[in-house]
Amino acid sequence: MLKRVFFSMLLLAALTPAFSQQTDSRIIVNADQGEHTISRQIYGHFAEHLGRCVYGGFYVGEDNTDIPNTNGIRNDVIKALKELKVPNLRWPGGCFADTYHWKDGIGPKADRPTIVNVWWGGVTEDNSFGTHDFLNMCEMLDAEPYLAANVGSGEVQELIDWVQYVNHGGVSPMSDLRKENGREEPWGVKYWGVGNEAWGCGGNMTPEYYADVYKKYATFMSTWRNEEGIFRIASGASSGDYKWTEVLMQKLPPSLVEGLALHHYSVIDWNNKGPATGFSEEQYFTTMQRALHMEELVTRHSTIMDKYDPDQRIALVVDEWGGWYNVEPGTNPGFLYQQNTMRDAMIAGTTLNIFHNHADRVRMANLAQTINVLQAVLLTDEEKMILTPTYHVMKMYNVHQDAQLLPLTLQNVDYELNGQKLPAISASASKDADGNVHVSLVNIDAKNARTVSLTVRGTEKGSVSGTILQSANLSDHNTFDNPDKIAPKTFRGFQKNGDQLTVTLPPFSVVVLAVE
């Protein structure tokens, strides 16, 4: 079992004499002691029928001649997400999933019924983007599809048919229907969510009731995916609802579940979320309190899971995470469109470090959401598209995908504001298949640069290089008029002496070092 001390911010008293007074913190990475793999699936994304995420984001229609596309899917979006190495994509929701009937989105598009999106803005959708469109897009992205099934307003047979439609290669009513609709071979979908937020928009269920509902649905999800089977993900807890996790782990037979979800957003106050830009340092500090709370949530939910699943067979799947603010002025409040600043880069960098350091249990996650919604990696405006600071962090970090997690010890320093404290430095490290070591460092301090004494032990690799994401102001962001205001740059703020590096991290910056 992974020892939690790798990222516990312990004060290593025995190491104190080795510091100079100018050193804020110290990190020791043990490159020869890795045990667990950082699953690339941690870098998943989320595409809900919400605002302009699908329609106007991913999909602009086959008849669009102004925006280059392939079968209606934006070419620039595909290119950007492939460079991000997106491993999986969750669809069609979210809350929308429990009102979505998949058969409405197959067959000739002119014959498809419309649907009113009661969750997000009350808009009418024409179902022109459906199962074939999504799964074919995932093939374009080289990403695993993650389908969220309708449990709230659907029926078991509806899910049985969907699994058969996308996964069964032989003769059956649903595979025959798929072939009639132009797809000969099945897609082989592995990841399936059995409902979404069953405690809320998915039905306002109790954990005891949902556990029984889940068992019914999971029982009839045949493993039509060759020898690999399918990966069933139960609707898990909201943030600190530890009872939900306890009940599901007690009641769900291990043979019926492969993953347990967790949702947590970095929200200042659900009734007063604050602006996405032009926020105060106090608002920033509170946002980072919420983001760093992920460490406690993952630890405590994992501890409950360990009690019932000591072999850690069941994955903790954080399939919704990110920052949530008030929508941009003048936009539809149901579309959840917000800008993306250096604050969001801080959320992304620290959260991914937390996931890395819990790689024994956290084996899949999904940022909410991919395009034009919440903490998006891409924003679009007609033919224009920009990359956000969150995009850049996730691209800098993708060197960790499927790499070996390296244990580290971290003596930290505090970021203080109005008598409150947060750990200023966040870190994680991994070793790739070629033996190269990568260390991710985040300084969340809004005002102070921090110096880190970094020692990498157990490797003969010695050449060091780095990349940094930083800007002059926390509220800085990329716009359609200035799309490259924030972009990664070569980092030279370190000095090397043997196996020790002295690294200077500017305020609110993200750095990835490579030891090759």
Side-chain angles (χ1 to χ4, degrees), residues 296-502:
E296 178 181 329
L297 293 174
V298 168
T299 299
R300 292 188 63 181
H301 284 291
S302 296
T303 299
I304 295 169
M305 295 175 75
D306 288 346
K307 182 166 60 172
Y308 300 94
D309 177 33
D311 294 332
Q312 300 181 316
R313 193 189 62 81
I314 300 172
L316 182 59
V317 179
V318 190
D319 56 12
E320 290 188 29
W321 67 272
W324 194 324
Y325 321 113
N326 293 333
V327 302
E328 293 302 305
T331 65
N332 188 324
F335 284 7
L336 304 187
Y337 178 76
Q338 61 188 41
Q339 252 297 350
N340 196 286
T341 69
M342 283 301 299
R343 173 172 62 174
D344 297 289
M346 298 298 99
I347 295 173
T350 56
T351 301
L352 291 170
N353 282 341
I354 291 169
F355 292 163
H356 294 169
N357 288 302
H358 290 272
D360 58 335
R361 183 65 81 174
V362 180
R363 299 197 289 274
M364 187 170 176
N366 299 80
L367 175 69
Q369 293 188 12
T370 316
I371 309 177
N372 295 328
V373 174
L374 299 178
Q375 193 174 338
V377 294
L378 303 175
L379 299 177
T380 65
D381 180 14
E382 298 298 337
E383 75 283 357
K384 298 178 181 178
M385 184 194 75
I386 58 175
L387 313 177
T388 69
T390 297
Y391 176 97
H392 293 308
V393 171
M394 298 194 83
K395 186 174 181 181
M396 289 166 61
Y397 271 44
N398 68 23
V399 293
H400 294 294
Q401 291 186 12
D402 286 339
Q404 185 182 64
L405 174 67
L406 298 180
L408 61 78
T409 54
L410 168 59
Q411 176 173 302
N412 220 322
V413 64
D414 291 327
Y415 165 35
E416 300 186 41
L417 184 69
N418 298 332
Q420 299 186 78
K421 298 179 180 180
L422 290 174
I425 306 300
S426 168
S428 68
S430 70
K431 181 168 63 176
D432 66 20
D434 295 322
N436 301 315
V437 175
H438 294 96
V439 183
S440 299
L441 301 168
V442 184
N443 174 19
I444 70 167
D445 196 311
K447 296 176 179 175
N448 300 303
R450 297 296 185 178
T451 302
V452 178
S453 175
L454 172 64
T455 303
V456 181
R457 296 173 175 170
T459 180
E460 295 182 357
K461 303 282 186 176
S463 176
V464 181
S465 60
T467 305
I468 186 170
L469 193 74
Q470 64 176 141
S471 195
N473 299 292
L474 263 170
S475 202
D476 283 350
H477 53 279
N478 293 331
T479 67
F480 296 104
D481 293 327
N482 190 2
D484 298 316
K485 181 180 181 66
I486 301 173
K489 294 180 173 58
T490 299
F491 178 64
R492 296 185 174 87
F494 62 87
Q495 294 181 329
K496 188 174 184 295
N497 183 10
D499 64 354
Q500 182 170 309
L501 294 171
T502 301

Side-chain angles (χ1 to χ4, degrees), residues 206-212 241-252 260 304 308:
T206 65
E208 292 84 1
Y209 180 79
Y210 171 70
D212 287 338
D241 186 353
Y242 301 111
K243 178 186 175 183
W244 189 278
T245 297
E246 186 90 38
V247 171
L248 263 57
M249 291 302 297
Q250 283 178 335
K251 292 178 69 70
L252 299 186
L260 186 62
I304 295 169
Y308 300 94

Side-chain angles (χ1 to χ4, degrees), residues 10 13 21 137 172 202 207 253 264 285 293 328 372 392 414 417 453 472 501 512:
L10 293 177
Q21 289 184 340
M137 182 178 74
S172 75
H264 175 66
F285 190 93
H293 186 51
E328 293 302 305
N372 295 328
H392 293 308
D414 291 327
L417 184 69
S453 175
L501 294 171
V512 176

